[in-house]
Amino acid sequence: MTATWAIVVAGGEGSRLGADRPKAFVRLAGRPLLAYAIDLLDDHPAVDRVVLVVPDEWEEQATFLADQLAAGKVVAAVRGGDTRALSVAAGLAEVPGDAGAVLVHDAARPFASAGLVDRLLEALAGNDGAVPCVPVTDTVKRVRDGRVVETPARAEMHAVQTPQVFRTEALRAAFAPPPAEWREATDCASMVEAAGFAVAAVDGDPGNVKVTTADDLARAEERLG
């Protein structure tokens, strides 16, 4: 069986948290936010190796954290890029050619579950990728220059989470064009879709929230408290 690698994107500066350190190293219930992603992936039996992508000069701290957590699957902590897509590319460069699948997860989502990873990996059968989706409950408007130009059917609208998983060759193909074409992409699945590959949608988890602001962090603290 070919190996499954995981890339943890943890390159955010945390400015919207008002923190004095990168977001991944902000404390949540006494632990760095990054620790939750490391635990999830290091403990999952289907994940073979983990690469951490962190801000410049935080590689040593990330490696030390992995050692503290006894996370034996973490094989590298590398410097990220100026955008999320560039950070994923930095992690992908560490994945060997014989890896069968790559799972991409954001350290900012500390509540992702092993069951969600299971659903994603199962959905790779017959697909090139899989992403967790949660139905949108509000009506969505497409706005351009301050005016509503379209109201998409709400039943078709879903919010997408991480982790996301892809066949390695599909993810590499998505990153093959010059970086200028994809450096601002905020979602790996959109890149894989644009490259012509099939991406499945699986049930996400409403509790798999993303920590972006100080209010998000406070709510996460309450949830763990």
Side-chain angles (χ1 to χ4, degrees):
M1 177 179 289
T2 55
T4 295
W5 282 59
I7 299 170
V8 179
V9 184
E13 292 300 328
S15 57
R16 282 183 284 181
L17 282 175
D20 61 352
R21 64 192 62 197
K23 182 195 297 188
F25 296 91
V26 170
R27 295 276 169 171
L28 171 61
R31 310 174 72 216
L33 195 58
L34 178 58
Y36 297 89
I38 293 175
D39 280 348
L40 169 68
L41 299 168
D42 191 69
D43 290 344
H44 199 285
V47 175
D48 297 289
R49 296 289 185 270
V50 180
V51 177
L52 310 177
V53 186
V54 298
D56 188 23
E57 298 185 353
W58 285 83
E59 300 94 327
E60 184 176 345
Q61 290 90 331
T63 300
F64 179 67
L65 174 61
D67 289 342
Q68 283 185 310
L69 297 172
K73 294 179 183 178
V74 174
V75 296
V78 300
R79 178 171 60 88
D82 294 333
T83 68
R84 182 184 187 278
L86 289 170
S87 291
V88 174
L92 188 58
E94 301 296 318
V95 176
D98 60 352
V102 178
L103 185 147
V104 181
H105 187 39
D106 291 312
R109 292 188 184 270
F111 299 113
S113 67
L116 179 55
V117 175
D118 290 338
R119 292 198 295 277
L120 291 164
L121 292 172
E122 289 169 4
L124 268 188
N127 293 288
D128 301 301
V131 297
C133 298
V134 176
V136 172
T137 56
D138 294 326
T139 297
V140 176
K141 303 286 186 180
R142 189 184 304 277
V143 178
R144 185 180 303 121
D145 298 328
R147 290 190 176 184
V148 174
V149 296
E150 183 184 4
T151 303
R154 188 172 63 183
E156 298 178 355
M157 297 294 104
H158 289 73
V160 178
Q161 306 174 330
T162 67
Q164 302 178 356
V165 67
F166 308 96
R167 297 196 184 279
T168 307
E169 62 268 26
L171 190 59
R172 289 198 196 281
F175 280 88
E181 297 184 19
W182 48 257
R183 60 173 289 133
E184 301 301 330
T186 59
D187 173 64
C188 293
S190 63
M191 296 172 60
V192 172
E193 296 156 24
F197 295 96
V199 177
V202 307
D203 289 339
D205 180 357
N208 180 24
V209 295
K210 185 176 182 181
V211 174
T212 301
T213 67
D215 286 343
D216 296 333
L217 186 64
R219 285 190 289 269
E221 288 275 4
E222 290 176 3
R223 180 170 169 181
L224 291 172

